[in-house]
Amino acid sequence: RYLEYADNHPDEFCDKMKLLFKRQKKMLQLYEFKEEKGKKACDWIETFCILTEGEQAGKKVKLLLWQKWFIYSILCFYGAIETEDFDDEGEYVGKSVKYTRIVKDVLLVVGSGNAKTSLLGFLNAYFLFGSEFNACKIYIGSNAYKQSKICFETTQKIIERNKVLKNNTSIRASYGEIEVKKRNAKLTAMSSDGSNLEGIIPAVLILDEIHEFKDNAYATNLRKSTKRSDALIIEATTQG
């Protein structure tokens, strides 16, 4: 629907977005599009997540069309690709061809005040409780711990607003950790100003406000930790 909207309203989109839509149409020809993956995620978010900020705070989430497009774009494209394989300790063991999710690395650029952090919070909650990732470990990395905590606290508020989610979650706010033991899932907030990167193997890596990173070193080191074949990296920024 979003691609159809873009076709019918070309003046509302910049050249970079038009190029992205063109590439995505080619992807629809090259890969299988599992629409049910995106629908499952969006339905879960709109069922279990509560808005925590603004005039609509306290009401159930109603995802905007562009938010649904973003979620579908991440989760729905599948195909056979060559992947690097690692053991449970993160040691490289070789390559193999797997039928897997195609989109592994995305950039989310949203103007300030357009619910970037809320969308990341909805996705964090879904990944912690849903079945998209087995034993999902989510790491939020940023230039400063204060920024990582903003995304962490948004996720925390979303979970605490729903009694079912809250009762199945262990939240250690002072450590920047949210754990769902039944799913063997955990979210951790970290930053370039003191976090230990040893031993982490993320299923989902969020690099928040990447325009504030001092250099590429921290992001590069975090990227090296994404050794799962199904790992997802989301770079997010409010600066286009």
Side-chain angles (χ1 to χ4, degrees):
R1 289 177 55 194
Y2 197 63
L3 293 180
E4 292 176 1
Y5 181 88
D7 285 340
N8 294 328
H9 303 82
D11 294 340
E12 296 184 18
F13 298 91
C14 66
D15 289 340
K16 287 184 178 180
M17 287 300 296
K18 291 176 182 177
L19 179 59
L20 176 58
F21 296 148
K22 185 177 180 180
R23 290 175 177 171
Q24 200 164 56
K25 288 177 182 178
K26 289 184 179 179
M27 289 177 66
L28 287 169
Q29 297 174 353
L30 293 172
Y31 304 110
E32 181 180 0
F33 188 76
K34 293 190 172 185
E35 185 176 355
E36 68 275 11
K37 290 278 189 178
K39 185 179 186 304
K40 182 178 180 180
C42 292
D43 287 350
W44 189 95
I45 289 170
E46 293 187 337
T47 299
F48 291 98
C49 293
I50 306 295
L51 293 169
T52 62
E53 303 291 342
E55 295 180 4
Q56 301 299 314
K59 296 183 179 180
K60 282 190 174 183
V61 171
K62 183 66 176 177
L63 291 169
L64 300 175
L65 187 56
W66 76 264
Q67 294 174 321
K68 290 185 177 181
W69 168 77
F70 181 74
I71 293 171
Y72 274 65
S73 297
I74 293 173
L75 301 180
C76 294
F77 287 100
Y78 273 73
I81 59 174
E82 185 177 72
T83 63
E84 293 184 336
D85 296 328
F86 298 84
D87 62 21
D88 293 339
E89 302 299 323
E91 295 296 325
Y92 176 75
V93 295
K95 294 182 179 181
S96 63
V97 175
K98 293 182 178 179
Y99 181 80
T100 184
R101 194 185 72 251
I102 295 296
V103 178
K104 309 285 188 180
D105 198 334
V106 297
L107 173 63
L108 175 62
V109 182
V110 182
S112 181
N114 284 280
K116 168 185 70 69
T117 304
S118 293
L119 178 57
L120 293 176
F122 301 150
L123 284 170
N124 284 340
Y126 174 65
F127 292 148
L128 285 170
F129 285 93
S131 58
E132 186 65 33
F133 297 93
N134 184 39
C136 183
K137 302 299 186 292
I138 305 171
Y139 291 89
I140 306 169
S142 66
N143 184 58
Y145 188 64
K146 182 179 180 180
Q147 182 61 46
S148 295
K149 281 299 291 287
I150 292 174
C151 187
F152 171 88
E153 289 171 355
T154 298
T155 307
Q156 177 184 350
K157 290 177 183 178
I158 290 169
I159 291 173
E160 289 179 336
R161 285 294 185 100
N162 184 297
K163 290 183 179 180
V164 174
L165 301 185
K166 182 180 179 181
N167 290 339
N168 286 278
T169 306
S170 174
I171 298 175
R172 295 177 289 276
S174 60
Y175 291 94
E177 295 178 349
I178 298 174
E179 186 173 10
V180 181
K181 293 183 179 179
K182 290 183 179 180
R183 297 285 308 154
N184 190 20
K186 187 177 181 181
L187 180 148
T188 303
M190 52 200 309
S191 70
S192 62
D193 55 12
S195 299
N196 186 353
L197 303 182
E198 293 183 5
I200 71 170
I201 304 179
V204 179
L205 174 62
I206 296 174
L207 302 175
D208 198 17
E209 297 297 2
I210 57 170
H211 66 278
E212 295 183 354
F213 283 28
K214 297 175 182 178
D215 52 44
N216 293 330
Y218 180 64
T220 298
N221 286 335
L222 280 175
R223 283 176 168 276
K224 289 179 180 178
S225 70
T226 55
K227 297 177 179 179
R228 289 178 53 147
S229 63
D230 63 346
L232 172 64
I233 301 173
I234 302 176
E235 293 187 353
T237 179
T238 52
Q239 300 293 317

